[in-house]
Amino acid sequence: MAEITYLEAIREAMWEEMERDPRVLLLGEDIGVYGGAFKVTQGFLERFGRERVIDTPISEEGFTGVAIGAAYMGLRPIVEFQFIDFIANAFNMITNFAAKSRYRWGVGVPLVLRGPTGGGVRAGPFHSQNPEMHFVHTPGIKVVVPATVHDAKGLMKAAIRDEDPVLYLEHKYLYRRIKEELPREDFVVPLGQAIVRRTGSDIVLITYGAMLYVALEAASSLEREGIDLEVIDLRSLVPLDRETILASVRRVNKVMILHEDTRTGGMAGEISALINEEAFEDLDGPILRITAPDTPVPYSAELEDAFIPQVADVIDAARRLAAY
Amino acid sequence: MAEITYLEAIREAMWEEMERDPRVLLLGEDIGVYGGAFKVTQGFLERFGRERVIDTPISEEGFTGVAIGAAYMGLRPIVEFQFIDFIANAFNMITNFAAKSRYRWGVGVPLVLRGPTGGGVRAGPFHSQNPEMHFVHTPGIKVVVPATVHDAKGLMKAAIRDEDPVLYLEHKYLYRRIKEELPREDFVVPLGQAIVRRTGSDIVLITYGAMLYVALEAASSLEREGIDLEVIDLRSLVPLDRETILASVRRVNKVMILHEDTRTGGMAGEISALINEEAFEDLDGPILRITAPDTPVPYSAELEDAFIPQVADVIDAARRLAAY
Amino acid sequence: MSRFGKHQLHELYYYLKLTRSLEEELARLFRAGKLSGALPISTGQEALSLGATYPLRAQDVLASAVPCNTALLARGVTPFEILTHFMARRGSPSGGRDGSIQFCDLKRGLVAPTEHPAAHVAVMAGVAFAAKVQRKDWVALALVDERALATGDFHEGLNFASVHQLPLVVVIEKKPLDPAAAAYVAPAGQNHYERLKAYGLPTVMVDGNDVLQVLQVVEAALERARIGKGPSVIEARTAGRTRFSMREDILAVWPASAQRFPEAGADEPGEGQRKLAFEDRELNDPVDQFEAFLIEHAQMRPAEQKEILARVTKLIAEDVRRAEEEPPPASESPTTGVYDRGSNVPVRLAE
Amino acid sequence: MSRFGKHQLHELYYYLKLTRSLEEELARLFRAGKLSGALPISTGQEALSLGATYPLRAQDVLASAVPCNTALLARGVTPFEILTHFMARRGSPSGGRDGSIQFCDLKRGLVAPTEHPAAHVAVMAGVAFAAKVQRKDWVALALVDERALATGDFHEGLNFASVHQLPLVVVIEKKPLDPAAAAYVAPAGQNHYERLKAYGLPTVMVDGNDVLQVLQVVEAALERARIGKGPSVIEARTAGRTRFSMREDILAVWPASAQRFPEAGADEPGEGQRKLAFEDRELNDPVDQFEAFLIEHAQMRPAEQKEILARVTKLIAEDVRRAEEEPPPASESPTTGVYDRGSNVPVRLAE
Ligand SMILES: Cc1ncc(C[n+]2csc(CCOP(=O)(O)OP(=O)(O)O)c2C)c(N)n1
Ligand SMILES: Cc1ncc(C[n+]2csc(CCOP(=O)(O)OP(=O)(O)O)c2C)c(N)n1
Ligand SMILES: [Mg+2]
Ligand SMILES: [Mg+2]
């Protein structure tokens, strides 16, 4: 089998689900005639036709509403935000209509919301954001963040088959930069399962999304100086796999949390609080957060590199914590 | 001097600032002819006229944009969301236009966003929400949450005089339920200053907004069983007064955090992580979070009371932590 | 009128009176402090709400941001369900979780708006879209208040429906003059049905106080939508009261509400003398109007009327009794039901 | 044409050529990997952007979501500023933080949109509102692409401006046929200026390729707004390329971008033969068109043209040289500038 990219994995997952289940359909800006801004959906219009690949007007609130209505009536829409930043324009519809429907009335909304997140590609303040926390903090939505080609495919399939709204965050930096050979047979990565990407004995480094690669690179480098990192890739933020996190913490006793999103109110705070509550006795040092600072995403390469956590930042923090 | 309510304090602060500074003006739904859904702005139209008290169409995104443009051009708008829940409809404008303006271009947006938050009044899932974290997690916005009549007035004045967008969250449950006599002279409560409402030696309980009263009631009750709570009222979530928090933690060594907002991704996680990072050595027990569960706000009295943290919940947690 | 059989006319009358009787009970329960929140009455809006809903078929779907007890009853919802809903009792359709004016129950073709003026217009465009792509014949009907027209949501939803020529009918309720109306939708004074012609779809105005007129116009729009001719918009003028005057009424008739919900701000709770809308003989009451019409045109004999009213009284009495017996929701597990199979719902207190 | 003096005509020509020359340099820098992000060229849109901006007075305010290098130059922004902006150099107006197509500089009457199609329409309504309530005489000018009309933002902003009769002029750019256009705004095929009459304001269509026509129509709209007659809308047809065809062009002419930004997805980076818009002789080029017009009507002698082009060449050469010397932004303190006086910005790493 040939290797495929992260982007191809997303596309394959959607393609195969659309072949398998006639209820699955796509909505988004320029996804049909143009094949998508990043070409994720290229060829879909030709294969599945205008009624399952819908080029929408620029109206994120509106077409997310349309997707909710369609989901109510038996379809399983996948909504693309051309850049995930534009999910801000559908915030009301997602947090109030989609997220609260099951709780209010027991009526689920099987809906996938997806789009390219994150920085590193010099796209400036409006095309580089990481919006996960707005939805992690919204009861009723699930949030997944694939870091590998395998998970990109497996989590997308799980998201499509799920009965609740799932926000699927794909990192644009990974689209064509990573490749992997995938199993030929159908598989899913169940929502809510983190994975230990590297076992280690000195510090647990918890991360997700594109930061996984920063974590692994730092871990390799630190190994040479005798600091042994365990690396957890969360994969799902909601549901959160507390067991995997706590098991590592109880064994390794020191913790760092790394994300590309900004610091205050970020996921690292939530996980730190959880560990503090559940495994306080097991901690041999403070839980360190390595995150972007509390600013918009800057445009210039130099500023953006200073904004996004780098391998050196992880190494610094690890040295401090190891010495603790 | 007569006592005034929390609602009157908000209204007095706006009234006095409008008298003092002709640049201050109000925008919102039904704030003019009707005097506001909660009558916060009753009499303003008559006093300040149609050009400073603007009844807007129902279009939160739009009139927030209007306020931003007006702020650019020398005015100091105060925007009312009839219920703060409807800030969801202005999410893009606030987080992308207002919040990023200074960082991008050095152009500030002196703007106050205000409205009634919170539950306890049987108003159901769409009129009871606590939206603070969406903005605490948005660099570029400040967030204040007055808990007393005095702070309602002083923080509003500080917010109006600030050069940045300030989200001012007033708890509707407090509107007419608390009274206080205020100084005759002009005063502000500076943004970014927490206050210790009660000193104690066993556990620091950090809270904000209407939960202050739950905290204080629990503290009185716990005193009788020999558990001595220190109670911090944050007042500002951004800027956050780290010094006051850390000083208490270093002295008292056990911490609980209480808020009405839901748990995952809530402010308690952020504060817990901060304390863990900055005062790990000073902790004699886990940091406990007492919050609403991760659900929408339910409508029925019984379910809402189970949702909103109660005095008994604080007492339970304090007993466990004291025994630690 | 000739096209309506006596049976239909009597059924319409029955639903109007059933609503009125139900709402009188709701007002009584509200005054007695037995409703959970606000008082959900639709006086002046019954003809619109019934006329729009009555021609729906079983497969059609309704979402209304206009008070719609009449519509719910006409869709087969029982007074018991409505009563327990607003009383937030355990046996209510949402189990006490929701307090909106409409229910979400797809089996009965009901989608609940979110208490935003027009978010449901887009959702109903989606409901209509699902009919189109699945080759089904349901039509989506969305009711909005006129101020919804200022929202971006309304435009995004209607634009999508028009682009795809979806089976969606939008009914806009316009109430008698609101003193701040000029601030809402430009240009002031223009009829909504006129401005919405910009979307390239048929628009029309009806007398929303006349149940038969509403019924006929909506029926035609539904039919048009069903055969693939796309969306349309109807503007209906009613005798309904704006939410603000309703609120004033409620505070006035029930000073106790000022104690129970001080945040609502009743500055002069002592007024106490004003009447609720349906107690106000000044109102151009669509229920009375229809009754007079039936009698005038000899479509309802006194005995028939008596029988109908007796059925109404019996059903309401029975359902009020049952509703009052219904216990409050159990609060053991506040977190279930957020996700399918209750997955991953953290507990409230640190264990 | 009689109303334009030779000086003005030459100035317009100067700005058009300055833009073209600047954008050729931007393309060169882009090919050399020296721009930070995308290639910001406005070929086919220069006449619109200049014609709309030229009649602005110093106190007026512009926000454009349409590529607008010409407009910036006409507002007194230097090529150096534009170059360092897109190169994200330290001395650029945003210090390398922003990469939008427009600047925010209130002293020069510039408001930067947020890269959303129409959020700035509401903001510019606010700018206009501030003029009205402060009795000032500035006018707000907002440029949008046509797909902005589907957004709720556009309607909320325009409705507010119309309700308050604010001094706001909105110019909508319409480009030659987009194969997916029918999906955007209903009813398909209708002119935008026609559908927006629903807002009760004057709307008109112009040839956006003709700088003088745009100028005259916008000038009249500004004047109307300035004397209190309220907002208006202009639809301008240009020869501009859609963002998508631009993007294809860029990937095609500069295969290296596929390596540098693989996320953009150049499946066939080898194509390599296509031309950028301004290298394409098929284009109905508004700059060439204006040049031909001046020559034909004997408004520019060869010597005059030569002098203008020499000034353009000199300024661009000088500013490119300076821009290339400008260092990158200092990254010492990534967090300053978020709040006034840099208050409360937590540090990045746990200390
Ligand atoms: C997005 C949003 N903003 C504000 C509100 C608060 N609100 C509820 S009803 C209402 C007024 C509605 O006016 P109209 O449509 O004329 O209905 P009427 O009062 O006449 O019944 C407002 C502002 C809301 N529900 N949703
Ligand atoms: C709210 C929002 N949604 C989506 C986008 C992504 N986007 C940028 S330009 C564009 C297409 C604009 O089309 P049009 O207005 O016709 O401009 P043209 O491509 O013709 O220049 C889209 C979808 C955006 N910038 N903002
Ligand atoms: Mg009204
Ligand atoms: Mg276009």
Side-chain angles (χ1 to χ4, degrees):
Chain A
M1 286 232 30
E3 290 191 324
I4 64 169
T5 63
Y6 180 89
L7 183 143
E8 284 158 351
I10 297 167
R11 157 214 201 73
E12 269 192 9
M14 295 196 296
W15 188 286
E16 288 171 18
E17 290 301 292
M18 288 180 77
E19 293 283 3
R20 196 183 61 81
D21 183 348
R23 299 170 305 168
V24 180
L25 80 172
L26 310 181
L27 293 119
E29 290 151 2
D30 309 308
I31 63 169
V33 174
Y34 289 110
F38 291 90
K39 308 205 171 184
V40 175
T41 53
Q42 198 157 43
F44 279 62
L45 178 64
E46 293 70 19
R47 172 69 189 90
F48 300 104
R50 300 197 148 269
E51 294 195 337
R52 295 181 71 195
V53 183
I54 297 105
D55 271 327
T56 63
I58 304 183
S59 50
E60 286 78 5
E61 171 95 349
F63 64 71
T64 303
V66 166
I68 293 169
Y72 274 160
M73 302 307 287
L75 298 172
R76 300 183 86 86
I78 303 175
V79 171
E80 170 174 311
F81 296 94
Q82 196 166 91
F83 286 77
I84 202 70
D85 309 64
F86 305 128
I87 203 169
N89 298 61
F91 185 78
N92 174 56
M93 196 60 84
I94 297 169
T95 61
N96 282 317
F97 223 119
K100 295 185 172 63
S101 180
R102 183 184 293 283
Y103 179 79
R104 294 169 71 201
W105 297 106
V107 181
V109 184
L111 177 66
V112 178
L113 307 165
R114 55 162 284 268
T117 67
V121 309
R122 317 319 180 199
F126 303 107
H127 294 79
S128 307
Q129 298 177 73
N130 292 291
E132 55 264 34
M133 289 314 290
H134 299 300
F135 304 98
V136 168
H137 189 53
T138 299
I141 306 274
K142 296 173 181 173
V143 182
V144 300
V145 195
T148 67
V149 175
H150 176 270
D151 288 356
K153 186 161 184 184
L155 284 170
M156 176 57 84
K157 291 199 166 200
I160 294 170
R161 298 177 195 180
D162 201 81
E163 296 301 324
D164 288 310
V166 180
L167 174 60
Y168 177 99
L169 299 171
E170 48 203 59
H171 204 296
K172 65 176 85 68
Y173 189 84
L174 301 180
Y175 270 161
R176 295 166 200 270
R177 281 191 175 84
I178 56 174
K179 290 196 167 191
E180 203 175 318
E181 197 179 308
L182 297 187
R184 199 178 284 273
E185 60 279 8
D186 182 53
F187 68 95
V188 299
V189 172
L191 308 188
Q193 297 190 0
I195 186 167
V196 176
R197 294 284 180 197
R198 185 187 200 282
T199 54
S201 55
D202 294 325
I203 297 172
V204 189
L205 175 54
I206 300 166
T207 193
Y208 59 91
M211 283 294 110
L212 174 63
Y213 301 95
V214 172
L216 291 174
E217 201 180 319
S220 302
S221 167
L222 285 161
E223 189 175 10
R224 277 171 254 134
E225 46 187 280
I227 301 177
D228 189 17
L229 257 52
E230 173 139 328
V231 176
I232 295 180
D233 172 5
L234 291 174
R235 306 203 286 193
S236 289
L237 303 184
V238 178
L240 184 66
D241 183 350
R242 299 152 61 106
E243 289 64 39
T244 298
I245 295 171
L246 293 172
S248 290
V249 172
R250 294 207 165 100
R251 185 165 42 73
V252 180
N253 311 118
K254 287 182 177 175
V255 183
M256 304 193 302
I257 309 161
L258 165 68
H259 57 60
E260 187 184 312
D261 189 12
T262 56
R263 187 184 197 77
T264 300
M267 193 67 198
E270 177 60 31
I271 295 171
S272 172
L274 172 74
I275 293 171
N276 187 301
E277 274 163 348
E278 303 288 333
F280 180 73
E281 289 293 328
D282 299 297
L283 286 176
D284 287 348
I287 300 169
L288 298 189
R289 292 184 285 175
I290 307 158
T291 70
D294 289 326
T295 78
V297 185
Y299 179 58
S300 93
E302 294 78 9
L303 294 179
E304 195 183 29
D305 288 344
F307 172 87
I308 295 178
Q310 304 291 327
V311 171
D313 299 322
V314 178
I315 292 175
D316 278 3
R319 285 182 188 146
R320 267 182 295 132
L321 190 55
Y324 194 90
Chain B
M1 285 231 31
E3 290 192 323
I4 62 169
T5 62
Y6 180 89
L7 182 142
E8 284 157 352
I10 297 167
R11 159 211 200 75
E12 270 192 9
M14 294 196 295
W15 188 285
E16 289 171 19
E17 290 300 293
M18 288 180 78
E19 292 284 3
R20 196 182 61 79
D21 184 347
R23 299 171 305 169
V24 180
L25 78 172
L26 311 181
L27 294 117
E29 290 150 3
D30 309 309
I31 63 169
V33 174
Y34 290 110
F38 291 91
K39 307 206 172 183
V40 175
T41 53
Q42 198 157 42
F44 278 63
L45 178 63
E46 294 69 19
R47 172 69 189 91
F48 300 104
R50 299 196 150 270
E51 293 195 338
R52 295 181 70 194
V53 183
I54 297 105
D55 271 328
T56 62
I58 303 183
S59 50
E60 286 78 6
E61 170 96 348
F63 64 73
T64 303
V66 167
I68 294 169
Y72 274 160
M73 302 307 286
L75 298 172
R76 300 183 85 85
I78 303 175
V79 171
E80 171 174 311
F81 296 93
Q82 195 165 91
F83 286 77
I84 202 67
D85 309 63
F86 305 128
I87 203 168
N89 296 63
F91 185 79
N92 174 54
M93 197 59 86
I94 297 169
T95 61
N96 282 318
F97 223 118
K100 296 185 173 63
S101 179
R102 183 183 294 284
Y103 179 80
R104 294 169 70 201
W105 297 106
V107 181
V109 184
L111 177 67
V112 178
L113 307 165
R114 55 162 284 271
T117 65
V121 309
R122 321 314 182 200
F126 304 106
H127 293 79
S128 308
Q129 297 177 73
N130 293 291
E132 56 264 34
M133 289 314 291
H134 298 300
F135 304 98
V136 167
H137 190 54
T138 299
I141 307 275
K142 297 173 180 172
V143 182
V144 301
V145 195
T148 68
V149 176
H150 176 271
D151 289 356
K153 185 161 183 183
L155 284 171
M156 176 56 84
K157 289 199 166 202
I160 294 171
R161 297 177 195 179
D162 201 81
E163 297 300 324
D164 288 310
V166 180
L167 175 60
Y168 177 99
L169 300 172
E170 49 205 59
H171 204 296
K172 65 175 84 68
Y173 189 84
L174 301 179
Y175 270 162
R176 296 165 200 269
R177 280 191 176 83
I178 56 174
K179 289 196 168 194
E180 202 176 319
E181 196 179 309
L182 297 187
R184 200 179 283 275
E185 60 279 7
D186 182 55
F187 69 94
V188 300
V189 172
L191 309 188
Q193 298 189 359
I195 186 167
V196 176
R197 295 283 180 197
R198 184 187 201 281
T199 53
S201 56
D202 294 327
I203 296 172
V204 190
L205 174 54
I206 300 167
T207 192
Y208 59 91
M211 283 293 112
L212 174 62
Y213 302 96
V214 172
L216 292 174
E217 201 181 318
S220 302
S221 165
L222 286 160
E223 189 175 11
R224 276 171 255 136
E225 47 186 282
I227 301 177
D228 189 18
L229 255 54
E230 173 140 329
V231 176
I232 296 180
D233 172 6
L234 291 174
R235 306 203 288 193
S236 289
L237 303 185
V238 179
L240 184 66
D241 184 349
R242 300 154 60 107
E243 289 66 36
T244 298
I245 295 171
L246 294 172
S248 290
V249 172
R250 295 209 165 99
R251 187 164 43 73
V252 179
N253 311 118
K254 286 183 177 175
V255 184
M256 303 194 301
I257 310 163
L258 166 67
H259 57 60
E260 187 183 312
D261 189 13
T262 55
R263 186 184 197 78
T264 300
M267 193 67 198
E270 176 60 30
I271 295 172
S272 172
L274 172 74
I275 293 171
N276 187 302
E277 273 163 349
E278 301 289 333
F280 180 73
E281 289 292 328
D282 298 297
L283 287 176
D284 287 349
I287 301 170
L288 298 190
R289 293 184 284 175
I290 308 158
T291 71
D294 289 326
T295 77
V297 185
Y299 179 57
S300 93
E302 294 78 10
L303 294 180
E304 195 183 26
D305 289 344
F307 172 85
I308 295 179
Q310 305 290 329
V311 172
D313 299 323
V314 178
I315 292 176
D316 278 2
R319 285 184 187 144
R320 267 183 294 134
L321 190 55
Y324 195 90
Chain C
M1 198 205 62
S2 57
R3 51 159 298 212
F4 297 100
K6 230 178 163 186
H7 170 73
Q8 281 179 306
L9 294 172
H10 289 186
E11 195 171 39
L12 292 168
Y13 181 67
Y14 169 77
Y15 283 127
L16 291 173
K17 293 306 274 188
L18 190 63
T19 307
R20 182 57 54 87
S21 176
L22 172 65
E23 295 189 354
E24 281 164 357
E25 284 302 316
L26 285 167
R28 186 185 61 73
L29 291 163
F30 181 78
R31 285 167 170 150
K34 290 185 179 169
L35 295 194
S36 189
L39 174 57
I41 59 177
S42 60
T43 311
Q45 303 171 297
E46 300 95 336
L48 168 64
S49 157
L50 179 60
T53 317
Y54 194 81
L56 292 175
R57 303 202 188 158
Q59 71 270 35
D60 296 335
V61 186
L62 166 75
S64 174
V66 173
C68 56
N69 288 326
T70 333
L72 293 178
L73 294 168
R75 282 308 266 172
V77 172
T78 65
F80 173 80
E81 289 176 290
I82 296 176
L83 287 158
T84 52
H85 176 68
F86 292 116
M87 295 164 81
R89 302 291 82 186
R90 188 177 305 174
S92 76
S94 83
R97 289 173 168 185
D98 197 83
S100 317
I101 55 169
Q102 198 189 313
F103 299 178
C104 192
D105 179 349
L106 300 177
K107 286 188 210 69
R108 289 190 281 190
L110 297 172
V111 162
T114 45
E115 302 186 6
H116 299 84
H120 64 295
V121 173
V123 173
M124 294 306 277
V127 166
F129 184 75
K132 186 176 174 193
V133 305
Q134 295 177 107
R135 309 281 180 274
K136 303 283 174 142
D137 71 343
W138 63 72
V139 179
L141 174 66
L143 271 56
V144 300
D145 277 311
E146 60 166 334
R147 287 169 67 183
L149 269 71
T151 70
D153 284 5
F154 183 86
H155 291 276
E156 295 193 358
L158 194 60
N159 185 48
F160 190 92
S162 183
V163 162
H164 290 274
Q165 289 295 299
L166 302 178
L168 172 71
V169 177
V170 176
V171 178
I172 300 164
E173 188 203 11
K174 184 161 175 53
K175 304 197 188 69
L177 201 65
D178 178 328
Y184 304 150
V185 199
Q190 192 178 7
N191 292 321
H192 302 309
Y193 78 97
E194 278 165 14
R195 76 178 99 239
L196 292 173
K197 290 195 195 311
Y199 282 95
L201 35 76
T203 70
V204 64
M205 174 136 84
V206 299
D207 175 359
N209 255 17
D210 179 341
V211 64
L212 297 182
Q213 194 184 126
V214 175
L215 196 160
Q216 283 171 285
V217 171
V218 173
E219 189 163 51
L222 293 171
E223 235 2 80
R224 195 180 169 280
R226 205 181 310 278
I227 60 174
K229 293 198 162 169
S232 53
V233 170
I234 297 161
E235 176 176 358
R237 306 274 170 135
T238 75
R241 300 226 177 163
T242 65
R243 281 177 185 70
F244 274 94
S245 54
M246 284 278 293
R247 175 176 156 288
E248 304 285 306
D249 288 352
I250 290 164
L251 289 171
V253 290
W254 195 59
S257 68
Q259 267 96 61
R260 202 159 138 246
F261 303 115
E263 56 284 346
D267 290 333
E268 303 87 25
E271 280 182 42
Q273 301 324 322
R274 275 166 63 189
K275 290 174 165 35
L276 284 178
F278 58 71
E279 297 164 332
D280 178 1
R281 293 294 99 204
E282 306 286 285
L283 181 87
N284 182 6
D285 186 326
V287 181
D288 291 354
Q289 210 174 294
F290 189 60
E291 185 178 275
F293 168 90
L294 291 181
I295 291 168
E296 192 192 330
H297 289 76
Q299 295 293 328
M300 181 170 68
R301 280 174 291 121
E304 286 168 338
Q305 181 177 17
K306 209 174 144 200
E307 182 275 332
I308 292 170
L309 296 179
R311 268 199 290 138
V312 165
T313 309
K314 182 155 174 291
L315 178 57
I316 293 294
E318 167 69 11
D319 279 15
V320 167
R321 188 188 55 69
R322 284 174 55 220
E324 294 214 62
E325 282 166 11
E326 188 63 25
S331 63
E332 297 92 77
S333 51
T335 56
T336 44
V338 176
Y339 296 98
D340 190 36
R341 294 181 306 266
S343 55
N344 188 52
V345 181
V347 291
R348 177 144 61 94
L349 293 174
E351 294 91 342
Chain D
M1 200 207 61
S2 57
R3 52 160 298 213
F4 296 100
K6 229 179 163 186
H7 170 73
Q8 280 178 306
L9 295 173
H10 288 187
E11 196 172 39
L12 291 168
Y13 180 67
Y14 169 76
Y15 284 128
L16 291 173
K17 292 306 275 188
L18 191 63
T19 308
R20 182 57 52 87
S21 176
L22 172 65
E23 294 189 352
E24 282 165 357
E25 283 303 316
L26 285 168
R28 187 186 60 76
L29 291 163
F30 180 79
R31 285 167 169 151
K34 290 185 180 170
L35 296 194
S36 189
L39 174 57
I41 59 175
S42 60
T43 312
Q45 303 171 297
E46 301 94 336
L48 167 64
S49 158
L50 180 60
T53 316
Y54 193 80
L56 292 176
R57 302 202 188 156
Q59 71 270 34
D60 296 334
V61 185
L62 167 76
S64 174
V66 174
C68 57
N69 289 325
T70 333
L72 292 178
L73 294 168
R75 280 310 265 170
V77 172
T78 65
F80 173 80
E81 290 177 289
I82 296 174
L83 287 158
T84 52
H85 176 69
F86 292 116
M87 293 164 81
R89 302 291 83 185
R90 188 178 305 174
S92 76
S94 84
R97 289 172 167 185
D98 198 83
S100 317
I101 55 168
Q102 198 188 314
F103 299 179
C104 191
D105 179 350
L106 300 177
K107 286 189 209 70
R108 290 190 279 191
L110 297 172
V111 162
T114 46
E115 303 185 5
H116 299 84
H120 65 295
V121 173
V123 172
M124 295 306 276
V127 165
F129 184 75
K132 186 177 176 194
V133 305
Q134 296 178 105
R135 310 281 180 274
K136 303 283 176 144
D137 71 343
W138 65 70
V139 178
L141 174 68
L143 270 58
V144 300
D145 278 309
E146 62 167 332
R147 285 170 67 183
L149 269 72
T151 70
D153 285 5
F154 182 87
H155 291 276
E156 295 194 358
L158 193 62
N159 184 47
F160 191 92
S162 182
V163 162
H164 291 273
Q165 288 294 298
L166 302 178
L168 172 71
V169 176
V170 177
V171 178
I172 301 163
E173 189 203 11
K174 182 158 176 56
K175 303 195 188 71
L177 200 66
D178 179 329
Y184 304 150
V185 199
Q190 191 177 7
N191 293 320
H192 302 310
Y193 78 98
E194 279 165 12
R195 76 177 99 237
L196 293 173
K197 288 196 197 307
Y199 282 95
L201 37 75
T203 71
V204 64
M205 173 136 82
V206 297
D207 175 358
N209 255 16
D210 178 343
V211 65
L212 297 181
Q213 193 183 127
V214 175
L215 196 162
Q216 284 171 284
V217 171
V218 172
E219 189 162 51
L222 293 172
E223 237 0 83
R224 194 178 169 280
R226 204 181 310 278
I227 60 174
K229 294 197 161 169
S232 54
V233 170
I234 297 161
E235 176 176 359
R237 306 276 170 133
T238 76
R241 299 225 178 165
T242 66
R243 281 176 185 69
F244 274 93
S245 53
M246 283 279 292
R247 176 177 155 288
E248 304 286 307
D249 287 353
I250 290 165
L251 289 170
V253 290
W254 195 59
S257 68
Q259 266 93 62
R260 203 160 136 243
F261 303 114
E263 55 285 346
D267 290 334
E268 303 86 24
E271 282 183 41
Q273 302 324 322
R274 274 165 62 189
K275 290 175 166 35
L276 284 178
F278 59 72
E279 298 164 330
D280 177 1
R281 292 296 98 200
E282 305 287 285
L283 181 84
N284 181 7
D285 186 325
V287 181
D288 292 353
Q289 210 172 296
F290 189 58
E291 185 178 273
F293 169 88
L294 290 180
I295 292 167
E296 192 190 329
H297 290 75
Q299 295 292 328
M300 181 170 68
R301 279 174 293 125
E304 287 167 337
Q305 181 178 19
K306 210 175 144 198
E307 183 275 331
I308 292 170
L309 296 179
R311 270 197 289 138
V312 165
T313 309
K314 183 156 174 289
L315 178 57
I316 294 293
E318 168 69 12
D319 280 16
V320 166
R321 188 187 53 71
R322 286 174 54 219
E324 294 216 62
E325 283 165 10
E326 189 60 28
S331 64
E332 297 92 78
S333 51
T335 58
T336 46
V338 176
Y339 297 98
D340 190 36
R341 295 182 306 267
S343 55
N344 188 53
V345 181
V347 292
R348 176 144 61 95
L349 292 174
E351 293 91 343

